[in-house]
Amino acid sequence: MARNITVGAAQMGPIARTESRPEVVERLIALLDEGADRGCELVVFPELTLTTFFPRWFIEDEAEIDRWFETEMPGPDTKPLFERAVERSVGFCLGYAEIFIEDDGTKRRYNTQILVERDGSVVGKYRKVHVPGHAHNEPDRPFQHLEPYYFEPGPGGFDVWKAFEGTVGMAICNDRRWSETYRVMGLKGVELILIGYNTPLHYDPDPQQNALAGFHNHLVMQSGAYQNGTYVVGVAKGGIEEGVDSLAQSVIIAPSGQIKAQCITTGDEIAVATIDLDYCSFYKDTLFDFDRYHQSQHFGIISQQREDDG
Ligand code: CDT
């Protein structure tokens, strides 16, 4: 028995600051169509897919900030993507900036990703937990990375959903560097983790890491896949966007840790692979059989450390 599903890593090239949502959605639909033509049942888009990576600018005016965020999904601009997905019977995963209003009126901003089934229904929403960069204006940097200024960490942690004939989880960009991200979903039986990313090739706090950006990107996702017996799809918004060069190299990784498909450009491109979700069990039922071998009693510190540090 095999549980085959064809997935596409729908990498995007740069999005200009002036590019409108409808223009971006046209690009997404073109990628979705190519994926559908190549047999995809699920297409994965990057982090903050709908706009340029706006956290590189310090914006003070609240109305101007709000313009980078979505208040509904689908909204008028994203509806055509949902409609085309239903027409082509292709599911998708989409990253965007979300404004969420609590019942008491509190306004929250998250870096969010949703999983949409082939019938257009939203089956899961994930809000980025690890929010990297700096919270204050630092105009002397070559460019800024103000995610903590714009987003609060998602309160929901790492969930998994029954979808696409398997168990699917999500993470966003910096989350992929933390082994706990994968392990929490691994303990919940994840078989396919979908990750969008925007990773500048220049890391200002320690530029000696710049040359290793591509290596580290694959290192963390391949390890996460192997150590948890799961597929990982990592999808970039790459290329030179508003003067900032970002990593591309989007990939589909097998539970063995091997790369099954990879984008070769830094622009809009889809890498496609047919994956057998049953293949996860070769790792989940052997070396990484958590029920038999995982010694969770030694790992309490992982969840206590933040509280202990105050
Ligand atoms: N978007 C995102 O999370 N990027 C980070 C780099 C930020 S460096 C301040 C990443 O881990 O790729």
Side-chain angles (χ1 to χ4, degrees), residues 214-236:
F215 167 64
H216 288 155
N217 179 46
H218 287 170
L219 174 72
V220 290
M221 293 193 289
Q222 290 181 261
S223 311
Y226 167 65
Q227 291 173 345
N228 295 281
T230 179
Y231 287 93
V232 171
V233 181
V235 185

Side-chain angles (χ1 to χ4, degrees), residues 36-59:
D37 291 345
R38 293 170 64 185
C40 288
E41 294 149 274
L42 172 62
V43 162
V44 185
F45 296 114
E47 174 192 34
L48 299 177
T49 311
L50 297 171
T51 66
T52 198
F53 191 78
F54 64 88
R56 69 172 70 97
W57 293 284
F58 181 71
I59 304 166

Side-chain angles (χ1 to χ4, degrees), residues 47-48 53 111 128 130-134 141 145 147 172-177 196-200 202-205:
E47 174 192 34
L48 299 177
F53 191 78
N111 186 339
K128 187 174 185 176
H130 300 98
V131 179
H134 51 105
R141 287 174 180 249
H145 197 106
E147 282 196 65
I172 301 178
C173 197
N174 190 263
D175 290 323
R176 76 194 189 288
R177 303 189 191 277
Y197 59 90
N198 279 268
T199 296
H202 175 74
Y203 182 58
D204 210 49

Side-chain angles (χ1 to χ4, degrees), residues 44-49 69-70 73 92-100 108-116 122-132 147 151-161 168-185 188 190 192-197 233:
V44 185
F45 296 114
E47 174 192 34
L48 299 177
T49 311
F69 285 74
E70 312 301 313
M73 188 57 66
F92 63 91
C93 177
L94 180 79
Y96 62 97
E98 177 196 10
I99 282 179
F100 177 74
R108 307 220 176 263
R109 292 192 174 90
Y110 298 113
N111 186 339
T112 296
Q113 203 168 270
I114 47 166
L115 179 62
V116 179
V122 176
V123 290
K125 179 184 275 191
Y126 167 73
R127 291 166 172 151
K128 187 174 185 176
V129 165
H130 300 98
V131 179
E147 282 196 65
F151 304 118
E152 56 186 289
F158 297 96
D159 229 330
V160 299
W161 294 268
V168 185
M170 292 187 274
I172 301 178
C173 197
N174 190 263
D175 290 323
R176 76 194 189 288
R177 303 189 191 277
W178 300 84
S179 57
E180 298 89 343
T181 296
Y182 307 87
R183 180 50 49 90
V184 168
M185 290 187 270
K188 296 178 179 180
V190 77
L192 175 61
I193 300 179
L194 313 175
I195 305 174
Y197 59 90
V233 181

